[in-house]
Amino acid sequence: MTLAVRAEHLAERMDDPDCSETMLRRTYERFGLVNRAVACWGRVYRELIRPELAALERAGHAARILDIGCGAGDVLHRLIAAARRDGFAVAGVGIDPDARAIGAARPGPGVHFRRAYSRELVDEGATFDLVVSNHLLHHLGADEFDALLADSARLGERLSVHSDIARGRLAYAAFSLGALPVAPGTFLRVDGLTSIRRSYTPAELAERLPAPWRVERPGRFRLLAVHRPVSPRILP
């Protein structure tokens, strides 16, 4: 096993349509704990998302957030809850092509989920103020990666943020040990380690992104692909 190059050939067990439904359900249920521990969305919200929400609020606009590849929706619910605690008017939509993920997602006030690809929303003419994803980039083949960036640039009128893992030996070792308490009965540990092996280094992601996308680092083990439109929606 090596971490020197991306292991693009590996597949995660939970992506297998014939995987254990019980283990899959438990995995979705515990994603929230793992994402809170490792995904740095608190910092991303404070430094990138909240300033955009404040600008929209000053202009009298309620914000709309799209979560692409939302899984069971824990990240979207967390962002919406944080925004509402700060007094912002906000609604969220989560999309995922996997019916099992949408089945595990729980709608709430102003938070909706649907089974869809981002291209379907583009074709519908939909737009959002903010577009996010979590642990999606490393799942994608080359063409899918390019399509996601293109769709995000069209859907996100003010900001797109795709958060993923920064591949490295320390990240692999830390997750291998840190996931043990929550891993029993789930795919979290084995798929998490596979995810790290499939993920990008900062240099690899920077080389992969076209302008004006850029790489940011909210934490030692995290990467962000960030896009701000050249001509964002003008607020009054």
Side-chain angles (χ1 to χ4, degrees):
M1 192 273 289
T2 179
L3 292 168
V5 295
R6 291 188 66 222
E8 300 178 59
H9 63 285
L10 296 180
E12 297 184 20
R13 293 186 182 180
M14 65 181 295
D15 291 336
D16 182 349
D18 296 321
C19 74
S20 165
E21 292 186 8
T22 299
M23 291 183 68
L24 182 64
R25 173 179 51 80
R26 290 173 180 165
T27 301
Y28 281 131
E29 289 172 351
R30 297 180 195 175
F31 266 151
L33 293 173
V34 174
N35 285 328
R36 282 187 176 274
V38 306
C40 296
W41 279 104
R43 181 173 179 180
V44 173
Y45 171 78
R46 292 189 301 272
E47 296 184 0
L48 296 178
I49 294 175
R50 186 164 60 187
E52 295 296 334
L53 297 178
L56 290 163
E57 193 273 338
R58 288 192 297 270
H61 291 280
R64 297 186 72 223
I65 300 176
L66 172 67
D67 184 357
I68 300 176
C70 61
D74 64 282
V75 169
L76 182 60
H77 276 295
R78 183 181 178 188
L79 294 177
I80 295 295
R84 289 176 176 167
R85 283 195 302 269
D86 286 341
F88 299 120
V90 62
V93 175
I95 61 170
D96 199 295
D98 192 330
R100 302 170 303 172
I102 296 302
R106 294 294 176 260
V111 181
H112 305 285
F113 298 94
R114 60 177 285 195
R115 185 182 181 187
Y117 288 94
S118 56
R119 175 54 53 176
E120 295 176 57
L121 274 64
V122 170
D123 291 342
E124 293 168 5
T127 58
F128 298 83
D129 299 293
L130 309 172
V131 172
V132 302
S133 78
N134 185 66
H135 291 164
L136 178 58
L137 296 180
H138 70 266
H139 281 275
L140 306 177
D143 291 343
E144 295 170 320
F145 186 102
D146 293 340
L148 174 69
L149 298 188
D151 291 348
S152 301
R154 294 184 65 176
L155 292 166
E157 293 192 326
R158 301 204 42 97
L159 176 70
S160 295
V161 180
H162 297 296
S163 176
D164 214 329
I165 308 157
R167 190 180 79 250
R169 293 185 180 277
L170 185 55
Y172 191 92
F175 188 82
S176 181
L177 294 175
L180 288 173
V182 296
T186 76
F187 298 116
L188 283 171
R189 186 170 182 271
V190 63
D191 277 1
L193 295 176
T194 298
S195 293
I196 294 171
R197 293 181 64 188
R198 284 187 57 96
S199 296
Y200 294 87
T201 65
E204 288 170 348
L205 185 57
E207 183 177 358
R208 189 73 182 76
L209 295 176
W213 288 86
R214 68 178 186 277
V215 174
E216 295 192 13
R217 300 291 304 273
R220 182 170 185 177
F221 305 134
R222 302 300 298 179
L223 297 176
L224 303 178
V226 179
H227 178 271
R228 294 182 185 275
V230 175
S231 299
R233 177 161 68 110
I234 297 175
L235 300 175

